[in-house]
Amino acid sequence: MSVDHGIHTIDTAFQRDHFDAAYLIVQDGRGAFVDCGTSHSLPNLLACVQRAGLQPADVDWLIVTHVHLDHAGGAGALMQHLPNARLVVHPRGAQHMIDPTRLIAGATAVYGEAEIARSYGQIVPVPAERVVVADDGHCVLLAGRELLCIDTPGHARHHFCVWDQASRSWFTGDTFGLSYRELDGDAGAFIIPTSSPVQFEPEALHASIDRLMARNPQAMYLTHYGRVEGTARLAGDLHEQIDAMVAIARQCADLPERHRVLVEALSALYVARARKHDRTLADAEVLRALDMDIELNAQGLACWLDRDKR
């Protein structure tokens, strides 16, 4: 894969190929990871360090956009291999990295014990003295290269995105949605928002997307998956779909089979948009790529509805 502005895309091999990415930014012989996948991702992460001409001791930072396990579950295990690195994390996520007990319990409630063991492996604490809390506007310096962390709630309240002025790009975690390469079309990338449990907040997500776009980014580096351009079109697509998802959720808020109806309505929404994006995409192909995310988005919308009622 080509390397742009010293940014290496790493397939963490979580769930399937080209589903979950981490990034290694290299500047003047020093390195910084952005997100890291799970503990199962360690071989791929460390192999990328070697391919980039670095040693583990040359990595100064591990920046996690938020503490969901597909982004940060392997942080503690990775830090054991990076003797000079410090972990950068949102204030709301720091304690979960130092003591992941509640994080594990919350993820287990969503996915179940068997899935946690299969997909995420061992979740290791990060020593408190190696944790840097990144408030809104915190700047990480990588050999003089500025990586700016800004608060971006909407997907999760413990989420920030990272602005890299050198590439005029954002590392967006889940704030700027999901875009899988098998759904690319002639018009470019296809994208959907992610409302996965348990902190989806549509108005906050709209505002966060607008905040990202205020810098007129050249590209976005998504955890799911990879580098995308055409950011203005994609932002518009995300705004439209957030509103559509909210409308769907409100329409079925009180139905006895709410979850089933949410899944069916979200499936129809994404298939229709994908068909409009690229008429060569088969419905089954779209649903196969988005199956897990449709389920999680339905759960997240239900959490939002229930929280909104309270």
Side-chain angles (χ1 to χ4, degrees):
M1 183 175 290
S2 63
V3 177
D4 182 62
H5 294 282
I7 301 169
H8 300 251
T9 302
I10 307 161
D11 191 333
T12 72
F14 176 67
Q15 300 293 353
R16 60 180 174 85
D17 291 342
H18 302 147
F19 177 78
D20 187 81
Y23 297 96
L24 177 66
I25 308 170
V26 177
Q27 181 70 37
D28 296 334
R30 309 305 300 178
F33 281 107
V34 180
D35 286 343
C36 61
T38 74
S39 59
H40 298 317
S41 308
L42 278 178
N44 291 8
L45 300 171
L46 296 175
C48 184
V49 171
Q50 185 176 32
R51 285 196 306 272
L54 303 182
Q55 298 298 319
D58 300 327
V59 178
D60 294 328
W61 304 102
L62 167 56
I63 306 169
V64 291
T65 59
H66 60 305
V67 300
H68 289 167
L69 294 180
D70 52 332
H71 299 254
L78 178 61
M79 291 287 283
Q80 292 178 344
H81 293 265
L82 307 176
N84 297 320
R86 286 180 287 171
L87 176 78
V88 182
V89 61
H90 191 283
R92 290 179 177 268
Q95 190 56 43
H96 294 296
M97 293 285 90
I98 296 167
D99 179 5
T101 304
R102 288 179 59 194
L103 187 67
I104 296 167
T108 302
V110 174
Y111 301 107
E113 289 185 10
E115 179 61 22
I116 293 297
R118 183 188 73 83
S119 292
Y120 301 100
Q122 188 176 15
I123 300 167
V124 180
V126 178
E129 64 272 15
R130 299 184 69 185
V131 173
V132 176
V133 176
D135 292 306
D136 187 42
H138 180 89
C139 188
V140 175
L141 288 178
L142 176 66
R145 180 173 178 169
E146 295 185 356
L147 302 171
L148 177 68
C149 304
I150 71 157
D151 189 30
T152 54
H155 171 75
R157 294 174 187 168
H158 49 84
H159 200 302
F160 61 58
C161 293
V162 182
W163 173 249
D164 174 34
Q165 179 63 33
S167 63
R168 293 203 54 79
S169 300
W170 286 102
F171 295 87
T172 63
D174 284 342
T175 296
F176 204 75
L178 314 168
S179 179
Y180 300 121
R181 302 285 60 85
E182 62 264 44
L183 301 182
D184 288 353
D186 291 339
F190 175 72
I191 202 163
I192 70 168
T194 169
S195 61
S196 58
V198 292
Q199 293 179 345
F200 173 62
E201 295 169 312
E203 292 307 316
L205 188 55
H206 278 305
S208 292
I209 292 167
D210 287 342
R211 194 175 185 196
L212 298 182
M213 292 306 300
R215 289 182 179 262
N216 191 26
Q218 178 180 333
M220 305 294 198
Y221 286 87
L222 312 182
T223 301
H224 310 286
Y225 175 91
R227 183 179 190 270
V228 294
E229 296 183 340
T231 59
R233 175 184 66 81
L234 295 173
D237 288 350
L238 289 170
H239 283 309
E240 289 178 5
Q241 290 178 86
I242 292 165
D243 288 341
M245 290 162 61
V246 165
I248 287 169
R250 291 197 185 281
Q251 288 168 7
C252 63
D254 298 318
L255 296 180
E257 295 186 324
R258 182 178 67 180
H259 181 75
R260 178 185 62 79
V261 176
L262 277 169
V263 168
E264 291 176 354
L266 291 175
S267 299
L269 171 67
Y270 302 144
V271 164
R273 292 191 68 94
R275 190 182 296 126
K276 183 178 179 181
H277 176 75
D278 184 347
R279 295 182 183 279
T280 67
L281 286 171
D283 294 358
E285 181 181 6
V286 176
L287 294 174
R288 184 165 55 249
L290 298 180
D291 178 64
M292 179 186 299
D293 297 303
I294 291 169
E295 172 66 26
L296 291 176
N297 278 1
Q299 291 182 27
L301 287 169
C303 290
W304 169 71
L305 284 170
D306 293 340
R307 190 171 63 249
D308 202 39
K309 285 180 183 178
R310 293 196 298 269

